[in-house]
Amino acid sequence: MMTELVSLRGRARIHAALGDPARLAIVDALTLGDASPGEIAHDLQIPTNLVAHHVKVLTDAGLVVRGRSEGDRRRTYLRLRPEALTALRPTPLTGVGRVVFVCTRNSARSQLAAALWSERTHTPAASAGTQPAERVHPRAVAVAHRHGLALDPSSTNRVADIVRDDDLVIAVCDNAHEELTAPAQPRLHWSVPDPVRLDTDDAFEAAFADLAARVDRVAPVITPAMSSRGPHD
């Protein structure tokens, strides 16, 4: 808990440092290359005394470091610490054995989410439903196919048959999030509208895009446990 608190304080300090337009402009400039305070002042048309103030704030936040020129030793150059920006990500979820996506019928959203997760992270994923349908919805199969993913139309599963203790359960529908209790209680909730209600290609495309964006946002903070289990071992 103390480590997480320290991490939150550090991230808050970085966010605060980036909250000023001039400091954000300096970070943008240093993303492309190193520069002296004088060059920053000239390029961004900021008075040198303000540059000094902003650089101090960025340095205190751990975003920028100074280095002495190997040519003119009187000159210093500012360098961005990219790892500090990486630290803005949420605290990682560690020891995840497998990700399991859950919805009500296991016929659309959870199936698409599992396929996306496996394809984009190359780690195990599975899906299940609280009241699984007999088959995957044809429009879910079709939208997956349009995006280069394959779904098995006959593969639906019940939550109790799939979820295990070290799984990270993500509910991709409100009903599953509200109904499930331990040990299958979801740790994360994605409130993705049910495309089956409208039953149109546009609705399924919207659900796919929503899930894809969420997978891309969450995957970097997931640290998988060392395991060789497959999706349905």
Side-chain angles (χ1 to χ4, degrees), residues 6-226:
V6 171
S7 175
L8 286 172
R9 287 175 176 168
R11 287 166 55 204
R13 190 162 55 247
I14 293 173
H15 277 290
L18 295 174
D20 183 280
R23 291 196 287 272
L24 187 57
I26 292 172
V27 168
D28 284 347
L30 294 178
T31 299
L32 303 177
D34 303 342
S36 69
E39 290 169 335
I40 291 290
H42 178 269
D43 293 344
L44 300 181
Q45 297 184 347
I46 302 173
T48 55
N49 62 323
L50 283 181
V51 169
H53 165 70
H54 292 316
V55 167
K56 183 179 186 305
V57 174
L58 293 170
T59 301
D60 290 346
L63 283 161
V64 170
V65 294
R66 293 174 178 269
R68 186 70 63 181
S69 168
E70 293 183 352
D72 183 348
R73 299 292 295 174
R74 295 169 298 178
R75 181 187 295 251
T76 60
Y77 288 110
L78 306 174
R79 177 170 58 86
L80 183 68
R81 296 181 64 246
E83 61 270 24
L85 294 176
T86 303
L88 293 177
R89 292 175 178 170
T91 303
L93 300 177
T94 60
V96 176
R98 180 182 59 167
V99 177
V100 178
F101 296 93
V102 177
C103 64
T104 304
R105 302 287 283 169
N106 191 214
S107 65
R109 289 166 290 181
S110 56
Q111 294 277 354
L112 292 170
L116 277 161
W117 188 274
S118 295
E119 190 268 339
R120 297 194 176 190
T121 70
H122 306 290
T123 59
S127 69
T130 55
Q131 302 173 38
E134 292 185 3
R135 296 180 64 82
V136 178
H137 195 287
R139 291 190 191 275
V141 175
V143 73
H145 179 74
R146 285 196 294 272
H147 291 275
L149 302 177
L151 297 184
D152 181 354
S154 63
S155 178
T156 61
N157 304 285
R158 189 175 299 278
V159 170
D161 298 333
I162 293 296
V163 174
R164 298 170 180 171
D165 290 343
D166 64 344
D167 288 335
L168 172 63
V169 178
I170 301 178
V172 292
C173 83
D174 298 339
N175 287 332
H177 173 65
E178 294 163 9
E179 293 174 5
L180 286 172
T181 58
Q185 185 172 6
R187 186 170 178 183
L188 299 178
H189 173 213
W190 297 353
S191 186
V192 180
D194 185 2
V196 177
R197 292 181 183 275
L198 295 178
D199 200 12
T200 64
D201 287 344
D202 286 345
F204 277 82
E205 285 287 353
F208 185 93
D210 190 351
L211 291 165
R214 291 172 184 269
V215 166
D216 289 342
R217 190 163 64 245
V218 173
V221 302
I222 301 295
T223 303
M226 297 300 295

